[in-house]
Amino acid sequence: AYAYDRNPNPIATYLIHLRLPAMPVEAAQPACLPMGMIGVTLSGVALFNGLDAMGRDAGAHEVQDRCGGHPERRGHYHYHGWSRCIPDATGEGEHSALVGYALDGFGIFGPKGEHGERMTNAALDACHGHSHTIAWDGKELEMYHYHFTEEYPYILGCFKGTPVRSGAR
């Protein structure tokens, strides 16, 4: 892979400190995504937007490891899209499980929708989410949430709520 993408960055230990709302609220206007971290998986891997440092589709232009991730210049290992290393042990015809949180507090779910169908951009809004009943904090609630897809932008297109600063160090 080094012959095609000479990423010299080693993976470094880092701390992510987030204070996300337990019950996120949709903002009056969607917010643009920053470069870099836009969320985090339940296992603690950072989620970055769909762009590489040069503003190109990261999934199409950057070499990823077998989990679909790589380190950025400071060593923060991250995903730009769905990873086969993220557990989504749902059965046939079931909605994907919660796999992470966006920086606005809304949940990020795997690639399967309400009836187990693979999600596509056409099934989601501009921010890459939609609303229907999901399991949230031990309850069934009608709530906005995001989904991973196999299409760019892969995770989020914008923030539906008000994002917090990541505090990654």
Side-chain angles (χ1 to χ4, degrees):
Y2 186 74
Y4 300 101
D5 181 7
R6 297 180 185 268
N7 182 345
N9 306 321
I11 296 172
T13 301
Y14 61 97
L15 173 69
I16 299 173
H17 181 80
L18 297 172
R19 289 181 189 224
L20 301 174
M23 291 301 297
V25 176
E26 293 183 30
Q29 295 291 324
C32 293
L33 300 177
M35 286 300 288
M37 189 170 159
I38 59 169
V40 64
T41 66
L42 297 179
S43 64
V45 176
L47 297 172
F48 277 30
N49 70 35
L51 299 173
D52 69 7
M54 295 172 59
R56 302 173 302 181
D57 178 339
H61 289 94
E62 294 184 327
V63 173
Q64 315 290 319
D65 66 16
R66 66 181 170 83
C67 285
H70 63 165
E72 52 90 73
R73 63 179 157 53
R74 291 177 304 211
H76 293 188
Y77 182 82
H78 62 279
Y79 302 133
H80 291 278
W82 181 247
S83 167
R84 67 183 187 158
C85 296
I86 298 173
D88 186 23
T90 55
E92 188 70 30
E94 295 179 349
H95 192 276
S96 287
L98 176 72
V99 296
Y101 296 95
L103 295 184
D104 61 4
F106 284 108
I108 302 172
F109 288 74
K112 293 191 292 185
E114 203 169 5
H115 305 291
E117 72 281 9
R118 292 297 256 189
M119 296 306 298
T120 64
N121 289 352
L124 303 170
D125 67 15
C127 289
H128 226 236
H130 61 182
S131 296
H132 61 75
T133 302
I134 57 171
W136 188 259
D137 198 22
K139 300 177 186 106
E140 295 290 318
L141 299 174
E142 171 101 10
M143 183 174 201
Y144 186 84
H145 59 283
Y146 303 104
H147 277 278
F148 278 94
T149 67
E150 294 177 2
E151 300 171 294
Y152 178 85
Y154 310 111
I155 310 171
L156 273 65
C158 51
F159 289 114
K160 193 71 165 185
T162 304
V164 300
R165 296 175 61 85
S166 72
R169 297 183 259 144

